[in-house]
Amino acid sequence: MRHTRNFLPLIGLLLTWSCSDDKLGDLMKSLVKAPPASIEHIVKGHEQIHSVQAILRLSQLNDNGTYTAYDISQSVTPIPVYQEINFSKDIQGNISITSPRKAFDVVKSREFLYALELKYYDVNGQLINHQFSNYDPEDEEESTLTVHQHFFTIQNYTLDGNKPLTYPMTLDSLYYDRYLYDTDDTGQRVQATRYSPSGIYAPIDNHRANQLHYDLPLAVMASEAAMKKEAENIVEKDGQNYRLFRTIDIAQLNGLTNEIFSYEYRDTDPVEETLGKELSGYDDLGRIRTGTTVIRLHQKRSLNAGEPIDALGFKGMLCFHQADICFQMRVCICHIITSHGKYIEGMRPRTHAFNDISPAWNSFDIDYPIPFRVIADADANHTQCLRAIQRFYPNAQEDDLREMLWGGTTYFRRMPHVIM
């Protein structure tokens, strides 16, 4: 009876308000608190990439074959040791750079490499790299690991400003002919026709090697004229006659990529963790990993050290072979569904090289360019290297640069780092 008496006043109050739906609704609102509203978008799979975080860390090779990649530091360095560029997709699927940094600045060096880490997020902000590394021995055809691989080559357009025909060029925006023109058997430029897929306007006469300056209006005009009868027209600019010359085929450019940079796959298992990190519990495949550490990624997600290394491209090491060059690095995740497959058969199946994109592959989960500027050559004359760096980082002090670039590992002794 005591409990019944406690509810009588509330029942009476409800009966009193029963003639008014509005009043009853107000009363219930005061008694029942709804949880805060939230929107969780349904994500169907790894093809639903919404944003990308590209991280570049200055790195050095260790004696055991790993790399020390330097992380964000509270101390100011004369040139960046940690750089980050962020990308995002709009509702139409177009990718744009959303970070303050628009290009990675690097130096050519035998001593230093650069660790590139790529992180992919869905529309809910969840990291989804692991969705590309699934492996089921009972269903290899549905295993994402066996059909995905990043490739790194050269692209010819920018995201920032949507500039076309941005083939590799000097830091003063002069094209390198080798990476620009399609040539005949004698090494001469080939004139474009209405059937040429791509061309660039250049002076007809008095051609000088590596002296064509990037011209945005002419680049746009050239892109619009491709595969049209206008491609055969001569235009006049600054008292000179220009016409379209065929540009290098993208497959040929892929083959020249390793003249500019090389890439080594350094993926881990699990892919979203750091090499050497201690593990506990189960991994993403449901395997108990307590008491072990993160290892290199092997084919079929094997945990045996002797198995062939696999390649996804979420982590890797970049080495630059030319200075005074800026270029757009093409980054693409290829969904390899042809009969040739991801692995090259043999005694020890291996993956394709970082720039070995087959013309038969035409399915990509994402495809975007990252701008790079190789601002100096640390392997050449030290004074020239310092001057080249100070052109872009005028506040960099010579003593700090000398200690950083040519002083061994002492400069980085207390700097935060990760192992790659």
Side-chain angles (χ1 to χ4, degrees), residues 101-132:
R101 177 170 286 278
K102 307 302 181 184
F104 286 138
D105 289 337
V106 299
V107 298
K108 171 186 173 292
S109 172
R110 290 186 295 267
E111 175 71 21
F112 294 103
L113 291 88
Y114 287 85
L116 178 64
E117 183 174 7
L118 300 171
K119 296 183 177 182
Y120 295 95
Y121 299 87
D122 64 18
V123 70
N124 299 314
Q126 298 298 310
L127 186 61
I128 59 173
N129 288 16
H130 65 276
Q131 294 186 13
F132 294 88

Side-chain angles (χ1 to χ4, degrees), residues 13 57 85 91 122 136 150 159 172 212 249 266 274 361 380:
L13 183 60
R57 297 177 175 95
I85 298 179
I91 58 175
D122 64 18
D136 183 355
H150 271 91
L159 293 178
D172 292 319
L212 181 63
D249 178 78
R266 301 289 300 185
T274 304
W361 298 337

Side-chain angles (χ1 to χ4, degrees), residues 15 36-37 52 78 95 98 136 154 156 163 204 234 240 262 305 369 398:
L15 291 173
V52 183
I95 302 175
T98 56
D136 183 355
I154 303 295
N156 61 1
K163 299 175 182 178
I204 298 174
I234 294 175
Q240 291 193 80
S262 55
E398 287 194 13

Side-chain angles (χ1 to χ4, degrees), residues 34-324:
S38 65
I39 299 176
E40 185 76 8
H41 295 275
I42 298 175
V43 179
K44 298 179 181 179
H46 60 261
E47 71 274 9
Q48 302 297 315
I49 296 172
H50 182 263
S51 60
V52 183
Q53 181 185 27
I55 299 171
L56 194 73
R57 297 177 175 95
L58 187 70
S59 306
Q60 290 179 297
L61 177 65
N62 301 316
D63 293 337
N64 62 359
T66 64
Y67 295 87
T68 297
Y70 301 108
D71 218 330
I72 299 176
S73 175
Q74 293 182 347
S75 60
V76 178
T77 57
I79 56 174
V81 297
Y82 176 98
Q83 303 173 68
E84 183 178 316
I85 298 179
N86 297 315
F87 306 82
S88 183
K89 279 186 181 180
D90 61 21
I91 58 175
Q92 284 80 34
N94 299 313
I95 302 175
S96 60
I97 296 176
T98 56
S99 57
R101 177 170 286 278
K102 307 302 181 184
F104 286 138
D105 289 337
V106 299
V107 298
K108 171 186 173 292
S109 172
R110 290 186 295 267
E111 175 71 21
F112 294 103
L113 291 88
Y114 287 85
L116 178 64
E117 183 174 7
L118 300 171
K119 296 183 177 182
Y120 295 95
Y121 299 87
D122 64 18
V123 70
N124 299 314
Q126 298 298 310
L127 186 61
I128 59 173
N129 288 16
H130 65 276
Q131 294 186 13
F132 294 88
S133 64
N134 179 64
Y135 179 74
D136 183 355
E138 303 299 325
D139 192 359
E140 291 198 0
E141 290 187 1
E142 293 299 321
S143 298
T144 56
L145 175 68
T146 60
V147 294
H148 287 97
Q149 183 176 343
H150 271 91
F151 290 94
F152 304 87
T153 55
I154 303 295
Q155 192 52 277
N156 61 1
Y157 70 90
T158 70
L159 293 178
D160 186 31
N162 298 314
K163 299 175 182 178
L165 302 179
T166 49
Y167 291 89
M169 60 187 76
T170 71
L171 299 175
D172 292 319
S173 301
L174 297 174
Y175 284 111
Y176 286 103
D177 288 7
R178 179 169 175 78
Y179 309 120
L180 176 65
Y181 293 115
D182 184 19
T183 57
D184 59 21
D185 293 338
T186 66
Q188 299 300 309
R189 299 174 300 168
V190 179
Q191 293 184 1
T193 69
R194 67 186 64 188
Y195 306 108
S196 302
S198 180
I200 191 165
Y201 282 108
I204 298 174
D205 303 316
N206 303 318
H207 169 67
R208 294 182 298 159
N210 306 324
Q211 292 300 308
L212 181 63
H213 197 278
Y214 182 78
D215 188 310
L216 179 57
L218 283 181
V220 172
M221 189 186 305
S223 298
E224 294 174 347
M227 303 293 289
K228 299 177 183 176
K229 62 180 181 179
E230 289 82 5
E232 299 174 0
N233 294 344
I234 294 175
V235 300
E236 189 272 337
K237 179 178 173 61
D238 299 331
Q240 291 193 80
N241 289 329
Y242 285 68
R243 69 157 300 135
L244 280 179
F245 291 88
R246 285 197 332 223
T247 52
I248 189 172
D249 178 78
I250 196 68
Q252 292 176 284
L253 192 57
N254 291 349
L256 298 176
T257 298
N258 54 14
E259 295 182 3
I260 299 173
F261 70 89
S262 55
Y263 177 92
E264 177 192 353
Y265 293 95
R266 301 289 300 185
D267 294 286
T268 55
D269 185 350
V271 296
E272 294 175 349
E273 301 292 350
T274 304
L275 186 65
K277 176 183 176 181
E278 292 186 5
L279 294 171
S280 62
Y282 295 85
D283 65 15
D284 57 305
L285 298 187
R287 301 175 299 184
I288 185 69
R289 301 286 292 273
T290 300
T292 65
T293 60
V294 177
I295 61 173
R296 295 282 303 280
L297 178 68
H298 295 94
Q299 290 180 29
K300 298 184 178 181
R301 294 291 297 273
S302 172
L303 300 180
N304 299 324
E307 291 299 312
I309 295 295
D310 210 322
L312 280 177
F314 294 111
K315 300 184 184 78
M317 302 304 303
L318 287 166
C319 181
F320 298 94
H321 307 304
Q322 291 189 41
D324 189 24

